[in-house]
Amino acid sequence: MKITTFNPQIVTNNPEPVIELFEALGFEKRHTKEGIGIGEMKANDCRLKDVNGFHVDISRASLPLPRDGVVIRMNVDDFDEAYKILESHGFKNDFGDVGETGSSKSAVMGSPSGFKIVLIQHIK
């Protein structure tokens, strides 16, 4: 299994000020994707990149959040293998389901200590 991207992802109900902050820090919008997620939790994602190649994703959550959250986005070339590795280290699928859009598979995996990894495989 190969990790293809690894970066922070901010989940919020109000993405505009967060996007503006990162643009002020030198990040530029790369692309957006709407309605991705699992079950009732859908998000509109905006991917930003700076001149050094760093990425940050800002996601507008479809469900009300008490506050913004930060997760780790990890894209891999073998979703099933990565999922098993995370499970073997005590991670649980927060939504109990895998989201599939036709172009990607994803799951929000929660660690025993509380941090989360959004596991994604883009299907080519």
Side-chain angles (χ1 to χ4, degrees), residues 12-14 18 28 35 44 61 70-71 77 89 94 97 101-102 116:
T12 180
N13 290 127
N14 189 17
V18 181
E28 295 181 3
N44 295 336
V70 178
V71 298
D77 67 346
H89 287 271
D94 281 1
D97 199 4
T101 66
K116 298 184 185 309

Side-chain angles (χ1 to χ4, degrees), residues 67-79:
R67 59 190 169 120
D68 293 352
V70 178
V71 298
I72 299 168
R73 173 184 167 148
M74 184 170 75
N75 287 28
V76 296
D77 67 346
D78 188 330
F79 181 90

Side-chain angles (χ1 to χ4, degrees), residues 17-18 20 31 38 57 60 70 73 75 88 109 112 117 120:
V18 181
E20 289 174 11
H31 68 272
I38 303 159
D57 295 328
R60 177 192 300 269
V70 178
R73 173 184 167 148
N75 287 28
S88 74
M109 304 296 289
I117 293 178
I120 302 169

Side-chain angles (χ1 to χ4, degrees), residues 86 90 112:
L86 292 175

Side-chain angles (χ1 to χ4, degrees), residues 77-88:
D77 67 346
D78 188 330
F79 181 90
D80 296 330
E81 182 181 0
Y83 191 96
K84 288 177 186 172
I85 291 170
L86 292 175
E87 279 188 321
S88 74

